Amino acid sequence: MRDPPVTTTLNTKPLTHLAVLEGEAIHIIREAVGELERPVLLFSGGKDSVVMLHLACKAFWPGRVPFPLLHVDTGHNFPEVLDYRDAVVRKLGLKLVVAKVQDYIDDGRLQERADGTRNPLQTQPLLDAIAENRFDAVFGGGRRDEEKARAKERVVSLRDEFGQWDPRNQRPELWNLYNPRHRVGEHVRVFPLSNWTELDVWNYIAAENIQLPSLYFSHDREVFERNGMLLPVSPVTQPCDCEEVVTRRVRYRTIGDMSCTGAVESDAETIDDVLADVATTTITERGATRADDKLSEAAMEDRKKEGYF
C-alpha cells in the first residue's frame, strides 16, 4: 500500500496594505532597472524621495543601489535638508549628481523671478543634467493624491526628446505591465509611489523606522504670514514692514524651497503624532503649504508639460 501524499500547509495570511504597496514599488524599480541602461533617482531629502531610496535599497539588497542620485539644488533649500541629503549619500556610498540653479543664474541662462521663488526654475537644469549624463529613466517620488496634475500621471511616463510630457504619447498600463521603451533622446519618468497616499508614506516610515530631516517634526521657528502661509525668516525670505515676525511651534508637511514652502502649526514631535495629524487633515500637503503650486490653476500641469515633474 502506498503512503498517503505529503501535504503542506501554506501561509494564507493576507498581505497588509503597506506590504502590497512596498511589493508594487520594488517591482516597478526592479523592472525599470532591468529594462533600461542608465537610471537615476531624484533625491532631495524630502520624505517621498527618502522612502523611494529606502525601497531601492531593499530592492537590491545585499547589493548596492545600482544607480546614482540626482538633486536639482535651487540655492534656496533648507540647510537642515542639505545636511541630511549629504549624510545619507555618504552612509550609502552612492554617487550624487547636483544640478545648481545658481550656476544658470550666474551665467545668464536663467533669471530670478519677481516673486523670489526658484522652484519653477528647476526645469532647465534638470533636463540638462538628464541629457549630459544620458539618463534614460528618472525615478521620481510623485504620488497621485498630491495634486490634480499628478493624479492622471502614468507609473512610467514617456518624455520626448525635449524632456516634455504629451498626454497623447502615454501608453496604457494594464495590470502591472509597464512599457519603458523609447527612442534615442527620449527618456521615461518612473513613479514607484504613484498609488501611495501621504498617510501611507508616514505609516511606512513608522513601520520601517526611517530617519527623516528634523523639519518634519515640531520645532520653534521665526515665521511670518504671507498669502495665508507661514514662511520662515531666512536669507531668502525676508518679511515686509507690514508682516509681523513671530515665533511659532511648527513643522513642515513637505519640503521645497524656503521661498515657497509654508510651515504648519503643530505640536507633533514624533511619528505617531504626525500620523494623528495627517489622519485628520482634509488638505493635501502640497495644497496646504506649496506656494509654487498656486501660481495659477494649471501651475503643476504647465511645469509637467515643460519637462519638470
Side-chain angles (χ1 to χ4, degrees):
M1 186 175 178
R2 293 181 178 179
D3 293 333
V6 176
T7 60
T8 59
T9 302
L10 297 177
N11 182 4
T12 57
K13 184 178 179 181
L15 293 174
T16 66
H17 175 63
L18 283 182
V20 171
L21 289 174
E22 179 190 67
E24 177 188 59
I26 288 175
H27 167 71
I28 292 167
I29 293 170
R30 287 174 174 168
E31 283 290 298
V33 172
E35 290 280 343
L36 300 163
E37 295 182 359
R38 296 179 65 85
V40 68
L41 187 147
L42 291 174
F43 187 74
S44 64
K47 67 181 186 308
D48 296 317
S49 64
V50 170
V51 166
M52 195 164 51
L53 179 57
H54 182 83
L55 289 163
C57 290
K58 295 189 79 168
F60 301 105
W61 181 263
R64 182 179 294 180
V65 174
F67 45 76
L69 310 181
L70 170 61
H71 182 215
V72 181
D73 184 354
T74 64
H76 288 181
N77 301 97
F78 289 92
E80 301 97 319
V81 179
L82 293 181
D83 290 343
Y84 173 90
R85 179 201 68 182
D86 294 341
V88 169
V89 170
R90 286 194 301 270
K91 178 180 178 181
L92 297 178
L94 299 177
K95 177 183 177 181
L96 173 67
V97 178
V98 180
K100 296 183 177 181
V101 170
Q102 187 64 52
D103 291 344
Y104 283 70
I105 294 173
D106 291 344
D107 63 20
R109 284 176 289 176
L110 291 174
Q111 292 184 340
E112 293 277 17
R113 292 169 52 90
D115 59 11
T117 181
R118 287 186 176 179
N119 260 23
L121 302 181
Q122 291 177 292
T123 301
Q124 194 58 51
L126 170 62
L127 295 179
D128 287 350
I130 292 171
E132 291 167 8
N133 293 277
R134 296 183 292 112
F135 295 133
D136 56 1
V138 181
F139 290 108
R143 308 188 324 267
R144 290 182 176 133
D145 76 318
E146 290 181 274
E147 200 270 341
K148 57 188 177 183
R150 299 189 174 196
K152 58 186 177 184
E153 184 62 281
R154 298 286 197 271
V155 173
V156 176
S157 177
L158 179 66
R159 304 302 167 102
D160 65 19
E161 63 271 24
F162 302 105
Q164 297 175 343
W165 174 85
D166 185 342
R168 295 168 295 183
N169 290 338
Q170 304 308 311
R171 290 80 176 261
E173 292 181 341
L174 306 175
W175 301 288
N176 59 349
L177 301 176
Y178 308 106
N179 180 5
R181 278 186 254 172
H182 59 280
R183 292 174 292 191
V184 174
E186 298 176 338
H187 69 277
V188 295
R189 306 285 173 91
V190 184
F191 302 105
L193 305 184
S194 287
N195 295 324
W196 296 50
T197 66
E198 183 184 9
L199 189 58
D200 291 331
V201 169
W202 277 104
N203 274 312
Y204 190 74
I205 289 168
E208 296 288 305
N209 193 29
I210 300 173
Q211 300 301 306
L212 293 176
S214 59
L215 293 179
Y216 280 111
F217 302 98
S218 180
H219 58 284
D220 292 326
R221 183 177 289 268
E222 284 192 336
V223 296
F224 60 96
E225 186 171 343
R226 178 178 296 169
N227 298 326
M229 296 175 54
L230 294 178
L231 295 179
V233 177
S234 74
V236 299
T237 47
Q238 290 292 317
C240 301
D241 292 339
C242 61
E243 295 171 330
E244 181 185 4
V245 175
V246 294
T247 300
R248 297 278 178 84
R249 192 76 173 160
V250 300
R251 73 176 189 88
Y252 287 84
R253 289 179 64 188
T254 183
I255 294 177
D257 275 7
M258 289 184 286
S259 55
C260 68
T261 306
V264 295
E265 293 191 71
S266 174
D267 292 320
E269 297 181 348
T270 67
I271 290 181
D272 287 340
D273 294 337
V274 173
L275 283 169
D277 267 4
V278 175
T280 57
T281 188
T282 58
I283 305 176
T284 68
E285 67 265 49
R286 294 193 74 92
T289 65
R290 292 296 289 270
D292 54 325
D293 291 350
K294 301 177 182 180
L295 296 175
S296 73
E297 283 294 319
M300 181 59 74
E301 187 82 1
D302 292 340
R303 293 175 70 194
K304 183 167 71 170
K305 290 179 179 177
E306 292 167 1
Y308 174 65
F309 163 56

